[in-house]
Amino acid sequence: HHDRLIDRLRLEGIEPILEVGWPLGNKLDEAQQRLDAYQRGLRELAEAKNVRLIDLGPAFRDARKSGPMLLVPNGVQLSAGGYRVMAG
């Protein structure tokens, strides 16, 4: 369905941009595996349709190495530090 939306946006003169979000918390491994598969599909679609892609994953993985809390305790929503990484 995403590819049809991309085509429709382009027909309207709107540049589509896809976003790959941040990694989930460490306790959500099963959900992260499903999210990784979905995000791979978005990357492939962006390449196939020549659409700009915003990929937050690498910035979040790098920031995690330096230790700031990027997610709130539920492991899904961003903390203030996570929003700083996303805005960077």
Side-chain angles (χ1 to χ4, degrees), residues 8-19:
R8 190 170 135 211
L9 289 171
R10 284 185 168 152
L11 282 173
E12 295 293 327
I14 300 168
E15 179 190 5
I17 301 171
L18 296 177
E19 176 190 332

Side-chain angles (χ1 to χ4, degrees), residues 35-55:
L35 182 59
D36 288 344
Y38 176 74
Q39 291 177 344
R40 273 191 302 278
L42 286 178
R43 287 183 186 96
E44 291 168 5
L45 178 62
E47 186 175 334
K49 294 292 229 174
N50 196 28
V51 172
R52 284 198 305 161
L53 177 74
I54 299 170
D55 190 345

Side-chain angles (χ1 to χ4, degrees), residues 54-71:
I54 299 170
D55 190 345
L56 300 173
F60 272 78
R61 287 183 183 91
D62 289 347
R64 273 188 182 170
K65 294 175 187 173
S66 62
M69 293 297 297
L70 303 178
L71 303 173

Side-chain angles (χ1 to χ4, degrees), residues 23-38 40 75-76:
L24 301 174
N26 294 333
K27 296 179 182 179
L28 299 170
D29 290 336
E30 185 179 321
Q32 185 64 57
Q33 289 175 13
R34 289 192 309 271
L35 182 59
D36 288 344
Y38 176 74
R40 273 191 302 278
V76 177

